[in-house]
Amino acid sequence: MTQLVCGIMALQTDSQFARAYASSTPTQQLWRQALEDSLNIIAKVPRIAGFIYRRIYHEGDFIGPSPNLDLAANFCHMLGFDDPHMYDMMRKYLVIHSDHEGGAVSAHAVRLVGSALADPYLAFAAGMNGCAGPLHGLAIQDSFKWIKQVSVDLGGSDVEISVLEDYVRSKLQAGHIIPGFGHALLKQTDPRYTCLYEFCEKNFPDDPYFQLVKKLKEVVPAVMRHQGKVRNPWPNVDAIIGVVFNHFGLHDESFFPVVLGVARSIGSLSQLVWDRALCLPIERPSTVNMDWIEAFCKSRTDNKQEQA
């Protein structure tokens, strides 16, 4: 992720938005340059990501883009994968991960920094720094690591449902979290999870890790509901995407957030263009004083005592 951010910042000198602002272009007209910058970033980020991947994992054996492939397929190609099924998967992935209601850290950071009239390169780089956070972009690799650990602990995907239930229950009772399950906002199964789940069922239903994912989908929400651990115990997309990447040969978990960054460029920068077109003001979060903090803490304490 550090290399991705450095690559984006290296391109910032090409910003048409920055040049237009410096030449006193009226603010209400800057959306045009924001659009041009955003289109350029979206076009170039897959190549930067492909360069990073080949540099780190393939000794600098770089692969250039093909003029005969679309953006998603070209991204796979530059990584070194030319399976048509992976092309199809990446098209789905880029669409369903392009945005997250604008509220995810990476998407919101782009808009927050852009609200100061920072150019799209600066704003998108800020979003990618947020994407590198363990509670955001790294959730994909954490979920896949957990699935692999379950497979190791229980001897593969042929585990009995009752054994898996006991395993999950013991982990929750020991204070562990189950990555990929439970979400602050989702009150049902993540539709992005469903999209990729159906893709797996159609293309590689016998993949051992996918077989384990199917059983976890049945077991984990039921155990969580019974123990009252979380309000919304449904699987989100993090619970499956690592399995999909792994099936196609993309095993390098530390690269997963970079793939998310490629997708997030499409949605977050589209929002940034609209922000400039609508001339939205700079974001200024409300501030509070110590009296407010003390009153808030007291109200929360009183509520917990009443519930007890």
Side-chain angles (χ1 to χ4, degrees):
M1 290 300 289
T2 301
Q3 292 183 50
L4 179 64
V5 172
C6 289
I8 295 163
M9 290 304 301
L11 298 175
Q12 190 274 337
T13 54
D14 295 332
S15 174
Q16 296 184 33
F17 184 98
R19 285 197 291 271
Y21 185 84
S23 62
S24 301
T25 299
T27 302
Q28 62 269 26
Q29 296 180 17
L30 287 173
W31 69 268
R32 294 180 172 86
Q33 288 77 24
L35 174 60
E36 289 301 319
D37 278 1
S38 297
L39 290 172
N40 286 334
I41 294 170
I42 292 169
K44 293 177 180 179
V45 162
R47 190 165 189 178
I48 296 173
F51 182 92
I52 292 169
Y53 182 78
R54 302 297 298 185
R55 177 179 181 272
I56 295 176
Y57 302 110
H58 293 276
E59 300 180 351
D61 182 17
F62 305 118
I63 301 173
S66 169
N68 301 316
L69 297 174
D70 58 53
L71 185 143
N74 237 326
F75 181 36
C76 294
H77 172 70
M78 289 185 288
L79 294 176
F81 303 101
D82 285 301
D83 183 341
H85 291 296
M86 188 174 184
Y87 291 175
D88 189 32
M89 178 278 294
M90 190 60 71
R91 294 182 186 108
K92 296 179 187 296
Y93 178 87
L94 294 184
V95 170
I96 64 177
H97 282 79
S98 62
D99 193 13
H100 192 184
E101 302 174 303
V105 169
S106 56
H108 182 238
V110 174
R111 300 183 68 182
L112 173 64
V113 174
S115 75
L117 293 187
D119 65 65
Y121 292 89
L122 297 171
F124 185 62
M128 291 303 94
N129 280 312
C131 188
L135 296 184
H136 187 20
L138 303 192
I140 301 171
Q141 66 189 62
D142 288 344
S143 296
F144 185 52
K145 286 179 179 178
W146 189 80
I147 291 171
K148 291 195 297 183
Q149 189 60 52
V150 173
S151 180
V152 171
D153 291 346
L154 300 182
S157 61
D158 293 332
V159 58
E160 296 289 335
I161 291 295
S162 60
V163 175
L164 188 56
E165 287 177 346
D166 291 340
Y167 179 87
V168 172
R169 189 177 296 110
S170 67
K171 290 296 182 182
L172 290 173
Q173 290 174 344
H176 297 286
I177 63 169
I178 309 298
F181 289 84
H183 195 281
L185 300 177
L186 295 170
K187 297 181 180 179
Q188 58 185 358
T189 298
D190 187 345
R192 299 171 299 172
Y193 174 95
T194 301
C195 175
L196 293 176
Y197 187 94
E198 293 173 350
F199 179 85
C200 295
E201 286 244 277
K202 178 181 178 180
N203 292 281
F204 44 89
D206 298 326
D207 182 280
Y209 286 133
F210 178 62
Q211 288 293 312
L212 191 54
V213 163
K214 293 179 69 172
K215 293 179 180 179
L216 289 168
K217 178 176 180 285
E218 176 184 348
V219 168
V220 175
V223 174
M224 282 184 164
R225 284 200 305 270
H226 183 264
Q227 294 195 345
K229 290 293 184 180
V230 294
R231 182 180 301 176
N232 304 315
W234 319 111
N236 62 62
V237 71
D238 296 333
I240 193 170
I241 186 57
V243 171
V244 178
F245 287 160
N246 181 77
H247 177 81
F248 286 110
L250 189 57
H251 308 302
D252 308 289
E253 296 154 5
S254 62
F255 190 74
F256 291 175
V258 178
V259 184
L260 174 60
V262 173
R264 194 50 53 87
S265 68
I266 301 170
S268 61
L269 289 170
S270 296
Q271 291 191 50
L272 185 64
V273 172
W274 273 108
D275 289 353
R276 299 288 67 77
L278 297 172
C279 295
L280 297 186
I282 189 171
E283 290 192 29
R284 294 183 182 276
S286 298
T287 57
V288 297
N289 57 29
M290 287 302 299
D291 291 337
W292 184 96
I293 294 173
E294 290 177 0
F296 176 79
C297 293
K298 184 177 185 303
S299 68
R300 294 297 295 269
T301 302
D302 292 343
N303 287 338
K304 287 184 177 180
Q305 291 175 347
E306 291 175 1
Q307 293 174 1

